[in-house]
Amino acid sequence: MTPPRRSGRPRASSWAVLEEAAGELFLERGYARTSVVDITRRAGVSRNTFFNYFTTKSDLLWTAFDSTFGELADALVRTRGADLDEVVRHALLELAAELPPENVALAYGQAEPMGLDEELRHAASLRVGTVGSVIRRHAVEAGVEGVRAEVAGTAYAGALIAAIGAWSRAGASRHSLPEILTEAWEPLVGLLRSA
């Protein structure tokens, strides 16, 4: 028996429409002066639909990032390298190459005019924690001591977020995130060697 089809927009369509509406409104009115209600009206969806996809308004800026780097644990497992640093770098580069220059690039590139400097810092720090935690768990499973794994995970995640900021401000469509990321983590090489 086939399940009944729901009426309304398909899930992927609603997600994309909300992102697009938010990006337009953030540029037109600024981040602080745009409410969730404004976004849902522009997108033509209900407030409940918004909260089916996003916890907060700032999550709209990070959807492509969250989706892309949500695959990090799998990328770390399938990546082969001479050492753990190399595995982490290759997995991050693989995902960085897939990250589209959408709302996160818009947010960094237009943070001041959109009035979201503080919100962007807060949201970025949450992503550093999330990505860092995935790297830490992988490193601990590979035999790296807990504190060293924690420091390395946070450092690699911080380099990723710093690279995304630099990439966005430099013009994401004209520059390579993997190249900027490679420069950002130069000081970290060797951080994940086993004791």
PDB file of all heavy atoms in Angstrom, residues 128-167:
ATOM      1  N   VAL A 128      31.907  25.508  15.330  1.00  0.00           N
ATOM      2  CA  VAL A 128      33.247  25.084  15.745  1.00  0.00           C
ATOM      3  C   VAL A 128      33.112  23.939  16.744  1.00  0.00           C
ATOM      4  O   VAL A 128      33.808  22.923  16.650  1.00  0.00           O
ATOM      5  CB  VAL A 128      34.059  26.258  16.351  1.00  0.00           C
ATOM      6  CG1 VAL A 128      35.304  25.747  17.064  1.00  0.00           C
ATOM      7  CG2 VAL A 128      34.434  27.259  15.278  1.00  0.00           C
ATOM      8  N   GLY A 129      32.187  24.088  17.687  1.00  0.00           N
ATOM      9  CA  GLY A 129      31.976  23.035  18.675  1.00  0.00           C
ATOM     10  C   GLY A 129      31.506  21.737  18.056  1.00  0.00           C
ATOM     11  O   GLY A 129      31.986  20.649  18.412  1.00  0.00           O
ATOM     12  N   THR A 130      30.590  21.827  17.120  1.00  0.00           N
ATOM     13  CA  THR A 130      30.049  20.623  16.486  1.00  0.00           C
ATOM     14  C   THR A 130      31.101  19.908  15.648  1.00  0.00           C
ATOM     15  O   THR A 130      31.312  18.695  15.786  1.00  0.00           O
ATOM     16  CB  THR A 130      28.829  20.984  15.608  1.00  0.00           C
ATOM     17  OG1 THR A 130      27.839  21.590  16.434  1.00  0.00           O
ATOM     18  CG2 THR A 130      28.250  19.760  14.939  1.00  0.00           C
ATOM     19  N   VAL A 131      31.767  20.641  14.767  1.00  0.00           N
ATOM     20  CA  VAL A 131      32.789  20.035  13.907  1.00  0.00           C
ATOM     21  C   VAL A 131      33.963  19.542  14.755  1.00  0.00           C
ATOM     22  O   VAL A 131      34.470  18.432  14.549  1.00  0.00           O
ATOM     23  CB  VAL A 131      33.268  21.047  12.832  1.00  0.00           C
ATOM     24  CG1 VAL A 131      34.495  20.535  12.094  1.00  0.00           C
ATOM     25  CG2 VAL A 131      32.133  21.340  11.851  1.00  0.00           C
ATOM     26  N   GLY A 132      34.364  20.336  15.741  1.00  0.00           N
ATOM     27  CA  GLY A 132      35.462  19.945  16.618  1.00  0.00           C
ATOM     28  C   GLY A 132      35.179  18.658  17.372  1.00  0.00           C
ATOM     29  O   GLY A 132      36.054  17.812  17.549  1.00  0.00           O
ATOM     30  N   SER A 133      33.936  18.495  17.782  1.00  0.00           N
ATOM     31  CA  SER A 133      33.532  17.288  18.507  1.00  0.00           C
ATOM     32  C   SER A 133      33.624  16.047  17.625  1.00  0.00           C
ATOM     33  O   SER A 133      34.047  14.974  18.073  1.00  0.00           O
ATOM     34  CB  SER A 133      32.104  17.479  19.026  1.00  0.00           C
ATOM     35  OG  SER A 133      31.667  16.330  19.682  1.00  0.00           O
ATOM     36  N   VAL A 134      33.242  16.171  16.370  1.00  0.00           N
ATOM     37  CA  VAL A 134      33.336  15.039  15.434  1.00  0.00           C
ATOM     38  C   VAL A 134      34.797  14.650  15.240  1.00  0.00           C
ATOM     39  O   VAL A 134      35.149  13.455  15.279  1.00  0.00           O
ATOM     40  CB  VAL A 134      32.671  15.387  14.081  1.00  0.00           C
ATOM     41  CG1 VAL A 134      32.939  14.311  13.034  1.00  0.00           C
ATOM     42  CG2 VAL A 134      31.177  15.595  14.261  1.00  0.00           C
ATOM     43  N   ILE A 135      35.661  15.632  15.063  1.00  0.00           N
ATOM     44  CA  ILE A 135      37.094  15.355  14.883  1.00  0.00           C
ATOM     45  C   ILE A 135      37.672  14.743  16.155  1.00  0.00           C
ATOM     46  O   ILE A 135      38.437  13.772  16.108  1.00  0.00           O
ATOM     47  CB  ILE A 135      37.853  16.634  14.468  1.00  0.00           C
ATOM     48  CG1 ILE A 135      37.380  17.089  13.086  1.00  0.00           C
ATOM     49  CG2 ILE A 135      39.370  16.389  14.477  1.00  0.00           C
ATOM     50  CD1 ILE A 135      37.873  18.471  12.673  1.00  0.00           C
ATOM     51  N   ARG A 136      37.289  15.293  17.312  1.00  0.00           N
ATOM     52  CA  ARG A 136      37.786  14.755  18.592  1.00  0.00           C
ATOM     53  C   ARG A 136      37.417  13.289  18.750  1.00  0.00           C
ATOM     54  O   ARG A 136      38.261  12.462  19.083  1.00  0.00           O
ATOM     55  CB  ARG A 136      37.224  15.558  19.768  1.00  0.00           C
ATOM     56  CG  ARG A 136      37.689  15.018  21.128  1.00  0.00           C
ATOM     57  CD  ARG A 136      36.874  15.558  22.292  1.00  0.00           C
ATOM     58  NE  ARG A 136      35.449  15.366  22.169  1.00  0.00           N
ATOM     59  CZ  ARG A 136      34.805  14.201  22.414  1.00  0.00           C
ATOM     60  NH1 ARG A 136      35.480  13.136  22.787  1.00  0.00           N
ATOM     61  NH2 ARG A 136      33.498  14.125  22.282  1.00  0.00           N
ATOM     62  N   ARG A 137      36.148  12.955  18.507  1.00  0.00           N
ATOM     63  CA  ARG A 137      35.709  11.552  18.653  1.00  0.00           C
ATOM     64  C   ARG A 137      36.505  10.630  17.729  1.00  0.00           C
ATOM     65  O   ARG A 137      36.938   9.547  18.139  1.00  0.00           O
ATOM     66  CB  ARG A 137      34.218  11.420  18.341  1.00  0.00           C
ATOM     67  CG  ARG A 137      33.321  11.705  19.510  1.00  0.00           C
ATOM     68  CD  ARG A 137      31.891  11.267  19.268  1.00  0.00           C
ATOM     69  NE  ARG A 137      31.298  11.811  18.061  1.00  0.00           N
ATOM     70  CZ  ARG A 137      30.695  12.996  17.969  1.00  0.00           C
ATOM     71  NH1 ARG A 137      30.614  13.775  19.037  1.00  0.00           N
ATOM     72  NH2 ARG A 137      30.195  13.418  16.824  1.00  0.00           N
ATOM     73  N   HIS A 138      36.697  11.065  16.497  1.00  0.00           N
ATOM     74  CA  HIS A 138      37.447  10.253  15.540  1.00  0.00           C
ATOM     75  C   HIS A 138      38.898  10.080  16.024  1.00  0.00           C
ATOM     76  O   HIS A 138      39.453   8.974  15.939  1.00  0.00           O
ATOM     77  CB  HIS A 138      37.414  10.902  14.155  1.00  0.00           C
ATOM     78  CG  HIS A 138      38.016  10.045  13.103  1.00  0.00           C
ATOM     79  ND1 HIS A 138      37.362   8.965  12.551  1.00  0.00           N
ATOM     80  CD2 HIS A 138      39.234  10.093  12.505  1.00  0.00           C
ATOM     81  CE1 HIS A 138      38.137   8.384  11.654  1.00  0.00           C
ATOM     82  NE2 HIS A 138      39.279   9.059  11.604  1.00  0.00           N
ATOM     83  N   ALA A 139      39.491  11.141  16.524  1.00  0.00           N
ATOM     84  CA  ALA A 139      40.881  11.083  16.994  1.00  0.00           C
ATOM     85  C   ALA A 139      41.012  10.167  18.211  1.00  0.00           C
ATOM     86  O   ALA A 139      41.961   9.369  18.293  1.00  0.00           O
ATOM     87  CB  ALA A 139      41.384  12.485  17.321  1.00  0.00           C
ATOM     88  N   VAL A 140      40.081  10.252  19.140  1.00  0.00           N
ATOM     89  CA  VAL A 140      40.129   9.391  20.325  1.00  0.00           C
ATOM     90  C   VAL A 140      40.005   7.926  19.911  1.00  0.00           C
ATOM     91  O   VAL A 140      40.744   7.054  20.413  1.00  0.00           O
ATOM     92  CB  VAL A 140      39.028   9.798  21.342  1.00  0.00           C
ATOM     93  CG1 VAL A 140      38.835   8.731  22.408  1.00  0.00           C
ATOM     94  CG2 VAL A 140      39.375  11.136  21.982  1.00  0.00           C
ATOM     95  N   GLU A 141      39.102   7.638  18.969  1.00  0.00           N
ATOM     96  CA  GLU A 141      38.951   6.265  18.476  1.00  0.00           C
ATOM     97  C   GLU A 141      40.215   5.775  17.787  1.00  0.00           C
ATOM     98  O   GLU A 141      40.494   4.573  17.765  1.00  0.00           O
ATOM     99  CB  GLU A 141      37.770   6.176  17.510  1.00  0.00           C
ATOM    100  CG  GLU A 141      36.431   6.300  18.199  1.00  0.00           C
ATOM    101  CD  GLU A 141      35.264   6.430  17.230  1.00  0.00           C
ATOM    102  OE1 GLU A 141      35.469   6.292  15.992  1.00  0.00           O
ATOM    103  OE2 GLU A 141      34.143   6.681  17.712  1.00  0.00           O
ATOM    104  N   ALA A 142      41.009   6.706  17.255  1.00  0.00           N
ATOM    105  CA  ALA A 142      42.265   6.351  16.590  1.00  0.00           C
ATOM    106  C   ALA A 142      43.439   6.286  17.568  1.00  0.00           C
ATOM    107  O   ALA A 142      44.576   6.058  17.160  1.00  0.00           O
ATOM    108  CB  ALA A 142      42.566   7.345  15.470  1.00  0.00           C
ATOM    109  N   GLY A 143      43.180   6.514  18.862  1.00  0.00           N
ATOM    110  CA  GLY A 143      44.224   6.381  19.869  1.00  0.00           C
ATOM    111  C   GLY A 143      44.866   7.664  20.355  1.00  0.00           C
ATOM    112  O   GLY A 143      45.827   7.628  21.122  1.00  0.00           O
ATOM    113  N   VAL A 144      44.354   8.819  19.941  1.00  0.00           N
ATOM    114  CA  VAL A 144      44.904  10.090  20.408  1.00  0.00           C
ATOM    115  C   VAL A 144      44.340  10.377  21.797  1.00  0.00           C
ATOM    116  O   VAL A 144      43.149  10.183  22.055  1.00  0.00           O
ATOM    117  CB  VAL A 144      44.567  11.238  19.431  1.00  0.00           C
ATOM    118  CG1 VAL A 144      45.061  12.576  19.950  1.00  0.00           C
ATOM    119  CG2 VAL A 144      45.149  10.945  18.062  1.00  0.00           C
ATOM    120  N   GLU A 145      45.186  10.833  22.693  1.00  0.00           N
ATOM    121  CA  GLU A 145      44.791  11.144  24.074  1.00  0.00           C
ATOM    122  C   GLU A 145      43.706  12.223  24.088  1.00  0.00           C
ATOM    123  O   GLU A 145      43.695  13.100  23.225  1.00  0.00           O
ATOM    124  CB  GLU A 145      46.055  11.590  24.832  1.00  0.00           C
ATOM    125  CG  GLU A 145      45.883  11.895  26.290  1.00  0.00           C
ATOM    126  CD  GLU A 145      45.540  13.351  26.534  1.00  0.00           C
ATOM    127  OE1 GLU A 145      46.054  14.219  25.802  1.00  0.00           O
ATOM    128  OE2 GLU A 145      44.756  13.613  27.462  1.00  0.00           O
ATOM    129  N   GLY A 146      42.790  12.161  25.048  1.00  0.00           N
ATOM    130  CA  GLY A 146      41.593  12.999  25.113  1.00  0.00           C
ATOM    131  C   GLY A 146      41.801  14.496  24.970  1.00  0.00           C
ATOM    132  O   GLY A 146      41.144  15.147  24.154  1.00  0.00           O
ATOM    133  N   VAL A 147      42.703  15.068  25.776  1.00  0.00           N
ATOM    134  CA  VAL A 147      42.899  16.521  25.732  1.00  0.00           C
ATOM    135  C   VAL A 147      43.514  16.937  24.401  1.00  0.00           C
ATOM    136  O   VAL A 147      43.090  17.921  23.794  1.00  0.00           O
ATOM    137  CB  VAL A 147      43.768  17.010  26.921  1.00  0.00           C
ATOM    138  CG1 VAL A 147      44.127  18.472  26.783  1.00  0.00           C
ATOM    139  CG2 VAL A 147      43.048  16.764  28.235  1.00  0.00           C
ATOM    140  N   ARG A 148      44.482  16.181  23.935  1.00  0.00           N
ATOM    141  CA  ARG A 148      45.114  16.492  22.643  1.00  0.00           C
ATOM    142  C   ARG A 148      44.079  16.404  21.515  1.00  0.00           C
ATOM    143  O   ARG A 148      44.038  17.250  20.619  1.00  0.00           O
ATOM    144  CB  ARG A 148      46.282  15.553  22.372  1.00  0.00           C
ATOM    145  CG  ARG A 148      47.038  15.897  21.120  1.00  0.00           C
ATOM    146  CD  ARG A 148      48.219  14.949  20.908  1.00  0.00           C
ATOM    147  NE  ARG A 148      49.118  15.538  19.961  1.00  0.00           N
ATOM    148  CZ  ARG A 148      50.143  16.332  20.256  1.00  0.00           C
ATOM    149  NH1 ARG A 148      50.394  16.629  21.517  1.00  0.00           N
ATOM    150  NH2 ARG A 148      50.908  16.834  19.326  1.00  0.00           N
ATOM    151  N   ALA A 149      43.212  15.389  21.569  1.00  0.00           N
ATOM    152  CA  ALA A 149      42.161  15.234  20.563  1.00  0.00           C
ATOM    153  C   ALA A 149      41.181  16.412  20.621  1.00  0.00           C
ATOM    154  O   ALA A 149      40.750  16.912  19.584  1.00  0.00           O
ATOM    155  CB  ALA A 149      41.424  13.912  20.770  1.00  0.00           C
ATOM    156  N   GLU A 150      40.861  16.849  21.828  1.00  0.00           N
ATOM    157  CA  GLU A 150      39.946  17.993  22.002  1.00  0.00           C
ATOM    158  C   GLU A 150      40.549  19.268  21.423  1.00  0.00           C
ATOM    159  O   GLU A 150      39.899  20.019  20.698  1.00  0.00           O
ATOM    160  CB  GLU A 150      39.645  18.187  23.490  1.00  0.00           C
ATOM    161  CG  GLU A 150      38.716  19.324  23.796  1.00  0.00           C
ATOM    162  CD  GLU A 150      37.258  18.944  23.648  1.00  0.00           C
ATOM    163  OE1 GLU A 150      36.924  17.763  23.771  1.00  0.00           O
ATOM    164  OE2 GLU A 150      36.460  19.858  23.388  1.00  0.00           O
ATOM    165  N   VAL A 151      41.815  19.520  21.746  1.00  0.00           N
ATOM    166  CA  VAL A 151      42.492  20.716  21.235  1.00  0.00           C
ATOM    167  C   VAL A 151      42.585  20.668  19.711  1.00  0.00           C
ATOM    168  O   VAL A 151      42.287  21.650  19.024  1.00  0.00           O
ATOM    169  CB  VAL A 151      43.906  20.852  21.869  1.00  0.00           C
ATOM    170  CG1 VAL A 151      44.732  21.917  21.159  1.00  0.00           C
ATOM    171  CG2 VAL A 151      43.788  21.166  23.355  1.00  0.00           C
ATOM    172  N   ALA A 152      42.973  19.513  19.173  1.00  0.00           N
ATOM    173  CA  ALA A 152      43.111  19.384  17.721  1.00  0.00           C
ATOM    174  C   ALA A 152      41.761  19.560  17.027  1.00  0.00           C
ATOM    175  O   ALA A 152      41.668  20.262  16.014  1.00  0.00           O
ATOM    176  CB  ALA A 152      43.713  18.029  17.376  1.00  0.00           C
ATOM    177  N   GLY A 153      40.720  18.938  17.561  1.00  0.00           N
ATOM    178  CA  GLY A 153      39.396  19.074  16.957  1.00  0.00           C
ATOM    179  C   GLY A 153      38.942  20.517  16.924  1.00  0.00           C
ATOM    180  O   GLY A 153      38.456  21.011  15.896  1.00  0.00           O
ATOM    181  N   THR A 154      39.116  21.205  18.036  1.00  0.00           N
ATOM    182  CA  THR A 154      38.718  22.617  18.111  1.00  0.00           C
ATOM    183  C   THR A 154      39.565  23.475  17.174  1.00  0.00           C
ATOM    184  O   THR A 154      39.048  24.374  16.507  1.00  0.00           O
ATOM    185  CB  THR A 154      38.821  23.126  19.565  1.00  0.00           C
ATOM    186  OG1 THR A 154      37.991  22.304  20.389  1.00  0.00           O
ATOM    187  CG2 THR A 154      38.383  24.570  19.685  1.00  0.00           C
ATOM    188  N   ALA A 155      40.859  23.180  17.111  1.00  0.00           N
ATOM    189  CA  ALA A 155      41.753  23.957  16.247  1.00  0.00           C
ATOM    190  C   ALA A 155      41.406  23.766  14.769  1.00  0.00           C
ATOM    191  O   ALA A 155      41.317  24.748  14.016  1.00  0.00           O
ATOM    192  CB  ALA A 155      43.211  23.567  16.509  1.00  0.00           C
ATOM    193  N   TYR A 156      41.196  22.526  14.346  1.00  0.00           N
ATOM    194  CA  TYR A 156      40.831  22.285  12.946  1.00  0.00           C
ATOM    195  C   TYR A 156      39.473  22.908  12.613  1.00  0.00           C
ATOM    196  O   TYR A 156      39.288  23.488  11.545  1.00  0.00           O
ATOM    197  CB  TYR A 156      40.832  20.792  12.620  1.00  0.00           C
ATOM    198  CG  TYR A 156      42.181  20.284  12.185  1.00  0.00           C
ATOM    199  CD1 TYR A 156      42.948  19.471  13.012  1.00  0.00           C
ATOM    200  CD2 TYR A 156      42.701  20.619  10.939  1.00  0.00           C
ATOM    201  CE1 TYR A 156      44.189  19.011  12.613  1.00  0.00           C
ATOM    202  CE2 TYR A 156      43.937  20.168  10.531  1.00  0.00           C
ATOM    203  CZ  TYR A 156      44.684  19.359  11.374  1.00  0.00           C
ATOM    204  OH  TYR A 156      45.922  18.920  10.963  1.00  0.00           O
ATOM    205  N   ALA A 157      38.516  22.784  13.527  1.00  0.00           N
ATOM    206  CA  ALA A 157      37.198  23.384  13.297  1.00  0.00           C
ATOM    207  C   ALA A 157      37.298  24.905  13.246  1.00  0.00           C
ATOM    208  O   ALA A 157      36.653  25.552  12.416  1.00  0.00           O
ATOM    209  CB  ALA A 157      36.221  22.945  14.386  1.00  0.00           C
ATOM    210  N   GLY A 158      38.112  25.491  14.120  1.00  0.00           N
ATOM    211  CA  GLY A 158      38.316  26.942  14.101  1.00  0.00           C
ATOM    212  C   GLY A 158      38.960  27.408  12.810  1.00  0.00           C
ATOM    213  O   GLY A 158      38.580  28.442  12.240  1.00  0.00           O
ATOM    214  N   ALA A 159      39.918  26.631  12.317  1.00  0.00           N
ATOM    215  CA  ALA A 159      40.556  26.968  11.039  1.00  0.00           C
ATOM    216  C   ALA A 159      39.538  26.908   9.904  1.00  0.00           C
ATOM    217  O   ALA A 159      39.541  27.759   9.005  1.00  0.00           O
ATOM    218  CB  ALA A 159      41.720  26.018  10.762  1.00  0.00           C
ATOM    219  N   LEU A 160      38.641  25.920   9.953  1.00  0.00           N
ATOM    220  CA  LEU A 160      37.598  25.799   8.928  1.00  0.00           C
ATOM    221  C   LEU A 160      36.692  27.031   8.926  1.00  0.00           C
ATOM    222  O   LEU A 160      36.451  27.629   7.881  1.00  0.00           O
ATOM    223  CB  LEU A 160      36.761  24.542   9.185  1.00  0.00           C
ATOM    224  CG  LEU A 160      35.502  24.388   8.325  1.00  0.00           C
ATOM    225  CD1 LEU A 160      35.866  24.236   6.844  1.00  0.00           C
ATOM    226  CD2 LEU A 160      34.674  23.204   8.814  1.00  0.00           C
ATOM    227  N   ILE A 161      36.223  27.436  10.091  1.00  0.00           N
ATOM    228  CA  ILE A 161      35.327  28.591  10.177  1.00  0.00           C
ATOM    229  C   ILE A 161      36.064  29.870   9.776  1.00  0.00           C
ATOM    230  O   ILE A 161      35.511  30.716   9.062  1.00  0.00           O
ATOM    231  CB  ILE A 161      34.720  28.714  11.583  1.00  0.00           C
ATOM    232  CG1 ILE A 161      33.843  27.495  11.898  1.00  0.00           C
ATOM    233  CG2 ILE A 161      33.936  30.004  11.733  1.00  0.00           C
ATOM    234  CD1 ILE A 161      32.666  27.276  10.960  1.00  0.00           C
ATOM    235  N   ALA A 162      37.318  30.022  10.196  1.00  0.00           N
ATOM    236  CA  ALA A 162      38.101  31.200   9.800  1.00  0.00           C
ATOM    237  C   ALA A 162      38.282  31.231   8.282  1.00  0.00           C
ATOM    238  O   ALA A 162      38.175  32.295   7.660  1.00  0.00           O
ATOM    239  CB  ALA A 162      39.460  31.186  10.505  1.00  0.00           C
ATOM    240  N   ALA A 163      38.527  30.073   7.690  1.00  0.00           N
ATOM    241  CA  ALA A 163      38.699  30.002   6.234  1.00  0.00           C
ATOM    242  C   ALA A 163      37.400  30.355   5.516  1.00  0.00           C
ATOM    243  O   ALA A 163      37.414  31.061   4.506  1.00  0.00           O
ATOM    244  CB  ALA A 163      39.171  28.606   5.828  1.00  0.00           C
ATOM    245  N   ILE A 164      36.282  29.899   6.046  1.00  0.00           N
ATOM    246  CA  ILE A 164      34.985  30.219   5.428  1.00  0.00           C
ATOM    247  C   ILE A 164      34.735  31.724   5.489  1.00  0.00           C
ATOM    248  O   ILE A 164      34.268  32.327   4.524  1.00  0.00           O
ATOM    249  CB  ILE A 164      33.848  29.417   6.078  1.00  0.00           C
ATOM    250  CG1 ILE A 164      33.955  27.950   5.647  1.00  0.00           C
ATOM    251  CG2 ILE A 164      32.486  29.990   5.708  1.00  0.00           C
ATOM    252  CD1 ILE A 164      33.041  27.007   6.388  1.00  0.00           C
ATOM    253  N   GLY A 165      35.072  32.346   6.618  1.00  0.00           N
ATOM    254  CA  GLY A 165      34.932  33.795   6.729  1.00  0.00           C
ATOM    255  C   GLY A 165      35.801  34.525   5.720  1.00  0.00           C
ATOM    256  O   GLY A 165      35.342  35.439   5.024  1.00  0.00           O
ATOM    257  N   ALA A 166      37.063  34.109   5.611  1.00  0.00           N
ATOM    258  CA  ALA A 166      37.984  34.750   4.657  1.00  0.00           C
ATOM    259  C   ALA A 166      37.524  34.525   3.224  1.00  0.00           C
ATOM    260  O   ALA A 166      37.557  35.449   2.395  1.00  0.00           O
ATOM    261  CB  ALA A 166      39.401  34.193   4.856  1.00  0.00           C
ATOM    262  N   TRP A 167      37.096  33.324   2.915  1.00  0.00           N
ATOM    263  CA  TRP A 167      36.585  32.971   1.583  1.00  0.00           C
ATOM    264  C   TRP A 167      35.373  33.828   1.224  1.00  0.00           C
ATOM    265  O   TRP A 167      35.283  34.363   0.120  1.00  0.00           O
ATOM    266  CB  TRP A 167      36.240  31.495   1.605  1.00  0.00           C
ATOM    267  CG  TRP A 167      35.539  30.901   0.433  1.00  0.00           C
ATOM    268  CD1 TRP A 167      36.007  30.806  -0.844  1.00  0.00           C
ATOM    269  CD2 TRP A 167      34.264  30.261   0.439  1.00  0.00           C
ATOM    270  NE1 TRP A 167      35.097  30.132  -1.627  1.00  0.00           N
ATOM    271  CE2 TRP A 167      34.013  29.782  -0.864  1.00  0.00           C
ATOM    272  CE3 TRP A 167      33.309  30.022   1.425  1.00  0.00           C
ATOM    273  CZ2 TRP A 167      32.850  29.095  -1.197  1.00  0.00           C
ATOM    274  CZ3 TRP A 167      32.154  29.332   1.096  1.00  0.00           C
ATOM    275  CH2 TRP A 167      31.931  28.884  -0.202  1.00  0.00           C
TER     276      TRP A 167
END
